[in-house]
Amino acid sequence: MDIRFEKVNFTYQPNSPFEQRVLHDIDLIVQEGCYTALVGHTGSGKSTLVQHLNALLKPTTGTVQIGGRTITPETSNKNLKPIRQKVGIVFQFPESQLFEETVARDIAFGPQNFGVSEEDAAKLAAKTLQMVGLDESYLERSPFDLSGGQMRRVAIAGVLAMEPEVLVLDEPTAGLDPQGRKEMMEMFARLHKENNITIVLVTHLMDDVADYADFVYVLEKGTVVKQGKPQDVFQEVEWLQAKQLGVPTATAFAQKLVDKGFEFNRLPLTSNELAEMLVELGGLAHDE
Amino acid sequence: MMNKLILGRYLPGDSLIHRLDPRAKLVASFYFIAIIFLANNLWSYLFLGAFTLFCLWLSKIDFGFFLRGVKPLIWLILFTVALQIFFTSGGDVYWKWSVFQLTEFGLKNGIFIFCRFVLIIFMSTLLTLTTPPLALSDAIEYLLRPLKPLKVPVHEISLMLSIALRFVPTLMDETEKIMNAQRARGVDFGEGNLIQKMKAVIPLLIPLFVSSFNRADDLATAMEARGYQGGDGRTKYRILHWSKKDTIVILTFAVLTAVLMYIRN
């Protein structure tokens, strides 16, 4: 299921003194099966854009095509449920959306809203809870007794249980410890590969983009200023740094080596790539 | 959705009205609401209306804002006015049908009540649009001070007021956020029958309460860590300054009352 933005503009509180134009003529495609990353400054419109992906917001002008549905400014708020089921969104700090008495019921809440029977929803809850790395003993606990990281996992499980085709992640690892962050990102990558889920990741962490994403959109002040594969986008280190967006750690390190006179065919993105390239360089030096 | 509300919002600016002392503005607004009931004929209403428009003009705020302040209350106003018009007896009777009647007094009363509503809303919108909420709560604290000997916890009231005011926008954002998160999980807010509608609110209310408790807990800890021990012995950072123009405002209102007494019946 593709999601296409065509000339999407969005203005908060239009025709009022508090009018605020957030998105300007956005053209963007999230291709089926593609791990797409959205990066950009705080206030560049990423989170607003994310809410267009499942029609929580409708464009002020322009169209958004989600699967077969076309969302225009005139689209009514009825019958959007099928879209919401196919496009699951994990918002920033999703632990604030928990409300049920038990973890199991909270996770089952989403599927039940989409018409899944109580028994099936309970099975889904048990399954997804394991996917996010918590065992069955948590099912009957109150979500409010859990630690922050565990609450985050339960909240994410609540979205995964809807079995979305597209999973939108708005800074899913903000505020997690390094271990939890890594586990979480690996889990999303696994879902992407094994279940062929399309992923849209909004993040400030360029290392995550380099490690996982197939395609990147760079947003600035509500417009797409750059798009492409991470390999291409991150080659322009100076441009990105001038925009204060930064590059992956490995790329930044390689750039420093380049400044000292080393030569790379192209800048590496991940530490593995960097290591390989360094080995190669070292090997050549050894042969001479 | 909630952003449409103009009442209670502050618009930064630098007009004469913006620079007035909040105490003067608060007292003047309440006083205005009191003396508006003195007006009882055409000339007194015209006079008050002209005065109100002059105040609005002084604030240099677009007139549309004030109209928007009236908008959410327009049905309430029209309902009251309609009651007045159709159920007041006296004077010439123009039209009559069972208990309904259109009379001279009724029409007059209806129009006056309409003016009263609009002027009161204009003035209170002017107060909130030109005064930051914190300045207002400072003013309230100051004005409540005489009640302190009567064991009224003035400091606590004003602290709660300023915290509440500070967190209104934060809570609104939070509400919107949680609403969106639940909508993404398939909740339809505002659809179905009354019971379904009420049920749909639970996934919004519980997280809001929980996050308010957490927020209160964090805030109290942070306040204690910064040495807050209650109102006794505290100094003030924001100090209110009463200047000549504030006295002039009060004097203007005295003159206003005098004129009003003169031209009313």
Side-chain angles (χ1 to χ4, degrees):
Chain A
M1 191 174 85
D2 291 354
I3 300 179
R4 275 164 202 278
F5 282 53
E6 267 163 43
K7 292 244 168 296
V8 170
N9 283 284
F10 186 76
T11 309
Y12 278 110
Q13 304 179 54
N15 307 321
S16 85
F18 306 101
E19 185 174 282
Q20 208 182 355
R21 200 161 165 211
V22 187
L23 299 181
H24 300 259
D25 285 329
I26 298 258
D27 285 312
L28 169 152
I29 301 175
V30 177
Q31 256 164 353
E32 178 163 341
C34 182
Y35 197 128
T36 310
L38 295 174
V39 298
H41 271 292
T42 20
S44 59
K46 296 176 306 243
S47 296
T48 307
L49 197 153
V50 157
Q51 293 178 43
H52 283 79
L53 293 169
N54 73 347
L56 283 176
L57 293 178
K58 285 173 288 186
T60 314
T61 63
T63 57
V64 180
Q65 278 183 32
I66 307 171
R69 284 286 295 273
T70 307
I71 307 292
T72 64
E74 288 82 32
T75 306
S76 90
N77 280 325
K78 298 220 161 104
N79 298 323
L80 293 175
K81 261 192 172 182
I83 293 181
R84 307 246 162 94
Q85 181 179 17
K86 283 181 190 157
V87 185
I89 299 193
V90 176
F91 284 95
Q92 281 174 42
F93 302 102
E95 51 273 29
S96 67
Q97 74 193 29
L98 302 175
F99 73 99
E100 278 281 14
E101 286 158 50
T102 65
V103 167
R105 284 176 59 175
D106 202 284
I107 298 177
F109 177 70
Q112 277 178 300
N113 281 331
F114 293 116
V116 175
S117 72
E118 216 175 310
E119 293 159 41
D120 291 346
K123 275 180 209 149
L124 273 173
K127 195 179 99 186
T128 42
L129 193 64
Q130 263 171 1
M131 272 159 69
V132 296
L134 294 177
D135 62 63
E136 277 180 17
S137 64
Y138 286 92
L139 277 175
E140 292 309 313
R141 288 177 61 176
S142 160
F144 300 110
D145 291 338
L146 305 178
S147 75
Q150 288 166 335
M151 282 169 82
R152 175 81 56 95
R153 283 160 197 265
V154 171
I156 291 174
V159 176
L160 290 179
M162 299 170 0
E163 302 193 303
E165 292 174 31
V166 180
L167 184 62
V168 183
L169 308 161
D170 193 351
E171 295 187 39
T173 58
L176 288 187
D177 57 89
Q179 179 66 26
R181 236 191 72 201
K182 191 147 189 296
E183 281 174 21
M184 199 77 64
M185 290 312 292
E186 291 294 336
M187 179 196 75
F188 294 133
R190 233 181 11 255
L191 278 173
H192 172 62
K193 276 203 200 90
E194 289 168 13
N195 302 23
N196 198 28
I197 291 180
T198 312
I199 290 189
V200 179
L201 173 72
V202 175
T203 184
H204 289 291
L205 303 170
M206 299 302 162
D207 282 334
D208 284 348
V209 178
D211 284 341
Y212 303 106
D214 303 321
F215 205 84
V216 195
Y217 286 96
V218 182
L219 287 174
E220 198 188 5
K221 291 181 189 146
T223 49
V224 175
V225 286
K226 204 168 218 36
Q227 52 180 293
K229 294 188 167 147
Q231 294 91 305
D232 304 328
V233 170
F234 288 130
Q235 294 305 312
E236 295 174 58
V237 178
E238 275 158 26
W239 183 84
L240 284 164
Q241 277 169 349
K243 298 252 178 231
Q244 295 179 3
L245 282 168
V247 290
T249 332
T251 316
F253 185 76
Q255 179 68 35
K256 282 199 174 139
L257 289 177
V258 169
D259 293 342
K260 294 264 185 237
F262 283 82
E263 273 179 39
F264 293 98
N265 293 334
R266 54 179 195 82
L267 295 172
L269 294 191
T270 60
S271 39
N272 282 344
E273 256 183 287
L274 174 66
E276 273 168 31
M277 286 182 182
L278 287 178
V279 168
E280 223 170 277
L281 275 179
L284 287 174
H286 191 75
D287 288 343
E288 274 168 20
Chain B
M1 173 190 66
M2 288 166 273
N3 292 324
K4 284 184 191 135
L5 221 61
I6 289 286
L7 210 73
R9 287 192 86 153
Y10 167 62
L11 262 192
D14 188 35
S15 66
L16 177 67
I17 306 267
H18 278 92
R19 275 178 272 128
L20 286 177
D21 189 291
R23 285 168 296 183
K25 279 191 271 188
L26 196 66
V27 170
S29 307
F30 277 103
Y31 188 67
F32 182 83
I33 292 172
I35 61 170
I36 207 164
F37 292 97
L38 283 178
N40 60 359
N41 62 9
L42 181 68
W43 292 110
S44 50
Y45 272 107
L46 276 181
F47 175 64
L48 278 180
F51 176 76
T52 311
L53 287 181
F54 175 68
C55 292
L56 302 190
W57 175 76
L58 276 181
S59 75
K60 293 184 192 160
I61 293 175
D62 185 26
F63 190 63
F65 273 102
F66 298 104
L67 288 184
R68 237 179 292 236
V70 177
K71 231 179 175 177
L73 293 170
I74 194 73
W75 292 114
L76 180 73
I77 297 173
L78 289 182
F79 178 69
T80 323
V81 169
L83 278 187
Q84 282 290 334
I85 287 182
F86 291 118
F87 291 103
T88 311
S89 56
D92 297 336
V93 179
Y94 303 121
W95 174 80
K96 200 171 159 82
W97 179 73
S98 80
V99 290
F100 298 100
Q101 54 184 352
L102 201 62
T103 64
E104 187 191 345
F105 281 17
L107 266 182
K108 221 163 102 185
N109 260 343
I111 293 171
F112 284 171
I113 284 202
F114 182 78
C115 293
R116 218 177 264 174
F117 262 117
V118 170
L119 292 184
I120 288 177
I121 294 172
F122 275 178
M123 270 303 192
S124 40
T125 314
L126 180 68
L127 172 72
T128 54
L129 279 181
T130 57
T131 320
L134 279 181
L136 266 186
S137 79
D138 282 347
I140 292 172
E141 177 173 14
Y142 183 88
L143 295 171
L144 285 182
R145 246 202 247 165
L147 298 178
K148 221 170 179 181
L150 302 173
K151 301 254 189 241
V152 176
V154 174
H155 168 77
E156 281 74 11
I157 291 177
S158 115
L159 178 77
M160 282 193 282
L161 199 65
S162 49
I163 291 177
L165 284 172
R166 155 69 186 77
F167 278 99
V168 167
T170 316
L171 275 177
M172 283 221 197
D173 284 350
E174 179 102 19
T175 312
E176 186 119 0
K177 228 189 80 185
I178 297 173
M179 237 171 139
N180 273 338
Q182 306 296 24
R183 278 163 75 201
R185 292 213 284 166
V187 179
D188 286 323
F189 289 103
E191 271 177 39
N193 60 33
L194 193 64
I195 294 185
Q196 281 169 325
K197 270 186 199 165
M198 273 158 54
K199 266 191 176 161
V201 178
I202 296 172
L204 176 64
L205 274 189
I206 293 180
L208 259 184
F209 268 106
V210 170
S211 90
S212 301
F213 279 123
N214 289 338
R215 213 185 283 280
D217 208 23
D218 289 347
L219 184 67
T221 315
M223 281 170 73
E224 274 188 356
R226 295 214 267 164
Y228 177 81
Q229 287 181 325
D232 297 331
R234 269 176 77 80
T235 54
K236 275 186 156 308
Y237 174 64
R238 294 185 307 272
I239 294 173
L240 301 170
H241 294 285
W242 190 271
S243 63
K244 218 195 261 167
K245 49 182 184 290
D246 302 307
T247 317
I248 294 175
V249 169
I250 300 300
L251 287 178
T252 313
F253 270 82
V255 174
L256 192 75
T257 321
V259 177
L260 207 56
M261 292 299 271
Y262 178 71
I263 55 178
R264 78 192 287 255
N265 287 347

